[in-house]
Amino acid sequence: QVHLVESGGGLVQPGGSLKLACQASSSFLFEHYTLAWFRQAPGKEREKVSCISTSDGTTYPADSVKGRFTISRDNAKNTMYLQMDNLTPEDTAIYYCAADIRPCPGIVAKAVDVWGQGTQVTVSA
């Protein structure tokens, strides 16, 4: 059984930075599935933050994080990252990594194949 494990969450002040990591237990999953980051704030639906294509590394950031968050992957380590800069309180949420057989534009929260357990990110003064 394949799974994803996130790390790197925590408490940060507004304007600060955090880097999340998501390690896959299977190189097959990492090499053949599209990887994405989602987040869910209290009382809100889970939303896609960014996605990275398996085939060519094209990234698809949400409008709310463009210019602030950068998604990347290290194939040698089976690990995906999310560098988050200039964080605001509105970024406070549980962040989940996800793996799905669909390409980035087709990934939706309700149909994701594999979820990580989530990591809390809190932006507060």
Side-chain angles (χ1 to χ4, degrees):
Q1 184 175 2
V2 297
H3 57 271
L4 303 169
V5 179
E6 300 100 334
S7 61
L11 173 65
V12 64
Q13 292 185 342
S17 298
L18 279 176
K19 187 173 185 177
L20 306 182
C22 171
Q23 186 166 32
S25 63
S26 162
S27 59
F28 176 85
L29 180 150
F30 196 82
E31 294 169 3
H32 293 89
Y33 280 61
T34 305
L35 299 175
W37 287 98
F38 285 76
R39 68 184 179 186
Q40 188 166 20
K44 295 188 176 181
E45 293 186 353
R46 195 168 295 190
E47 64 171 346
K48 188 164 59 178
V49 173
S50 193
C51 185
I52 185 165
S53 170
T54 300
S55 59
D56 61 7
T58 301
T59 63
Y60 299 81
D63 287 343
S64 58
V65 305
K66 276 182 182 177
R68 301 189 300 122
F69 291 12
T70 303
I71 190 172
S72 62
R73 56 191 294 159
D74 184 335
N75 292 342
K77 296 181 179 180
N78 289 349
T79 302
M80 173 180 64
Y81 301 98
L82 186 68
Q83 175 67 46
M84 306 185 293
D85 299 317
N86 194 21
L87 285 159
T88 73
E90 288 70 36
D91 296 315
T92 296
I94 299 175
Y95 284 70
Y96 299 89
C97 64
D100 197 275
I101 199 65
R102 301 168 185 84
C104 281
I107 295 179
V108 294
K110 63 181 179 180
V112 163
D113 292 327
V114 182
W115 288 107
Q117 85 284 358
T119 185
Q120 177 71 47
V121 172
T122 303
V123 185
S124 175

